[in-house]
Amino acid sequence: MIEYIIIAAVLLALELAYFKIADKCNIIDKPNERSSHSTIVLRGGGVIFAISMVIWFGWMIVVQGGNSLIVQEYLPFMCGLVLISGVSFWDDVQSLPDTVRLVAQFVAMALMFWSMGLFSVESLGLNVDSQLMSYVLMGLIIVAALIVYVGGMNIINFMDGINGITAGYALAILVPLLIVDSQLKVEEFIEPSYLIVAIIGVLVFCIFNFRPKGKAKCFAGDVGSIGIAFIMLFALGKLIVQTEDLSYLAFLMIYGADGILTVCHRVMLHENLGEAHRKHAYQLMANELKIGHVKISLLYMVLQLAVSLGFIYLCPNTVAAHWIYLVAVAAVFVVAYIWFKKKYYHLHEEYLASLKKQ
């Protein structure tokens, strides 16, 4: 426990030091048409997420006495995290072309998959007679996983638009993952300290961001939302690989429903998906319905915790039951999303009409 207290103190000190650097270097977030805030705030405070993992990795090497297995298992992931966080931080400071960010994301994801064991036929459990067919299947799995994971990471990034939502939702994913890790009878799917240190990093960030509108000291920035997405998706991926159960994607249910359905809505409206917008359900709540940021963030956090804890404690521990639960819950939130948009989207249309008149 004393080690975690020390790590928390170090992360707090580093976050405060970053604020001074960001203030001096003018690393700020200016409101735009997508924003749900109206004042200038320090940007990039979410860099603490990547820093927490770097500290964890160094700590593990020291504690394990240079254990080669730890280095072998987590080094590719750490390289990917440093790469994607570095590129995202630079994008926060000075906007980068989409191609640069996308290439970095795919390379970082490939490094993550290396740590997850996706480049091994044995790890994937592909029992195919033909060795060639095994490698073909492995290639197809990797390509599909790359597309899903890069898409998922960007959805998590798009959902970072109000105070507290990224940190709150991260806790709603990391805590259930820690519970599952402690319950697995065969072996842990990930080092428990990985999840604990990640949670500590999120809590440190919460001190400065989980506040009412206009009160946040900093925003996560792309470095924060992309970084924490990378950290969470790695842990979730390791769980899925070990259990061979994709239904654990239920741990991303709320963001998945809002993010994916909003993309579908924008496609139906023939919008450019690369342009800024305010069409997510949480954005309608914050902007058109004037609901407080903290209340919305808590709502998303509580809903995801309810889904995840229900999955863990109420759903029978079989693959069939998991999938039934996943599909049933997904159907509920799809219906809820459609109802919400039908009832309140006209307010956003009125907002857009007012902009055209100006």
Side-chain angles (χ1 to χ4, degrees):
M1 181 61 69
I2 187 64
E3 291 90 347
Y4 294 128
I5 294 174
I6 293 173
I7 289 174
V10 171
L11 290 176
L12 180 60
L14 290 174
E15 184 76 310
L16 292 171
Y18 171 75
F19 292 161
K20 293 185 177 180
I21 295 172
D23 188 40
K24 186 174 182 180
C25 297
N26 201 35
I27 305 175
I28 57 176
D29 194 305
K30 295 181 179 179
N32 57 36
E33 62 272 21
R34 178 193 163 200
S35 302
S36 296
H37 66 285
S38 56
T39 58
I40 295 176
V41 182
L42 293 178
R43 193 175 195 181
V47 69
I48 200 67
F49 304 144
I51 291 174
S52 67
M53 289 294 95
V54 171
I55 290 175
W56 169 81
F57 187 61
W59 174 50
M60 287 300 295
I61 291 176
V62 172
V63 170
Q64 297 286 340
N67 188 332
S68 60
L69 292 177
I70 291 292
V71 175
Q72 182 179 348
E73 182 176 1
Y74 290 98
L75 182 58
F77 160 76
M78 290 304 306
C79 291
L81 177 61
V82 171
L83 169 64
I84 196 65
S85 297
V87 170
S88 298
F89 182 76
W90 186 250
D91 190 46
D92 283 330
V93 176
Q94 182 176 344
S95 185
L96 293 173
D98 292 342
T99 51
V100 173
R101 289 186 280 117
L102 201 58
V103 168
Q105 289 175 10
F106 274 103
V107 172
M109 282 297 174
L111 289 167
M112 177 199 286
F113 290 172
W114 184 358
S115 280
M116 286 165 51
L118 289 187
F119 293 110
S120 169
V121 173
E122 293 77 15
S123 296
L124 291 174
L126 298 176
N127 298 318
V128 182
D129 294 334
S130 169
Q131 186 177 19
L132 176 60
M133 184 58 67
S134 296
Y135 284 110
V136 170
L137 287 175
M138 183 180 71
L140 292 174
I141 291 172
I142 290 172
V143 170
L146 276 172
I147 294 171
V148 171
Y149 259 54
V150 170
M153 184 168 65
N154 281 288
I155 284 176
I156 293 172
N157 182 32
F158 296 155
M159 293 294 292
D160 179 35
I162 60 174
N163 297 353
I165 195 167
T166 293
Y169 199 76
L171 291 175
I173 293 175
L174 293 169
V175 170
L177 285 172
L178 185 60
I179 293 172
V180 172
D181 196 48
S182 67
Q183 290 184 344
L184 290 180
K185 296 180 180 179
V186 181
E187 61 176 326
E188 299 159 337
F189 71 88
I190 198 169
E191 285 285 336
S193 58
Y194 171 96
L195 297 170
I196 295 172
V197 173
I199 290 171
I200 292 172
V202 172
L203 290 174
V204 168
F205 179 72
C206 281
I207 296 172
F208 306 102
N209 178 260
F210 211 123
R211 299 179 177 184
K213 181 180 179 180
K215 301 295 184 180
K217 172 72 174 178
C218 70
F219 291 156
D222 284 351
V223 65
S225 54
I226 292 289
I228 196 62
F230 198 81
I231 292 166
M232 295 187 300
L233 290 175
F234 174 62
L236 184 60
K238 283 181 70 68
L239 174 60
I240 290 173
V241 169
Q242 180 168 315
T243 60
E244 298 180 357
D245 188 354
L246 273 170
S247 64
Y248 278 104
L249 288 173
F251 285 11
L252 294 171
M253 177 62 67
I254 308 304
Y255 263 23
D258 194 341
I260 294 173
L261 291 174
T262 298
V263 170
C264 293
H265 186 197
R266 297 191 70 205
V267 170
M268 292 170 60
L269 295 172
H270 306 290
E271 292 186 354
N272 181 350
L273 298 181
E275 292 182 355
H277 69 97
R278 299 196 336 185
K279 290 182 171 62
H280 285 291
Y282 80 87
Q283 290 174 317
L284 263 68
M285 293 179 194
N287 299 313
E288 278 71 37
L289 298 180
K290 307 300 180 183
I291 301 174
H293 287 198
V294 170
K295 291 179 181 178
I296 300 170
S297 298
L298 284 173
L299 173 64
Y300 274 64
M301 179 181 177
V302 170
L303 286 175
Q304 185 58 64
L305 277 174
V307 171
S308 299
L309 294 179
F311 186 93
I312 296 170
Y313 292 113
L314 301 180
C315 185
N317 192 23
T318 65
V319 174
H322 283 180
W323 277 103
I324 292 172
Y325 181 90
L326 175 66
V327 172
V329 173
V332 170
F333 284 107
V334 167
V335 171
Y337 177 92
I338 294 173
W339 172 85
F340 180 80
K341 279 296 185 77
K342 282 184 174 293
K343 186 174 179 64
Y344 296 112
Y345 185 68
H346 71 92
L347 297 175
H348 183 66
E349 291 178 319
E350 292 170 7
Y351 160 76
L352 293 177
S354 67
L355 288 181
K356 291 180 180 180
K357 293 179 181 178
Q358 294 178 359

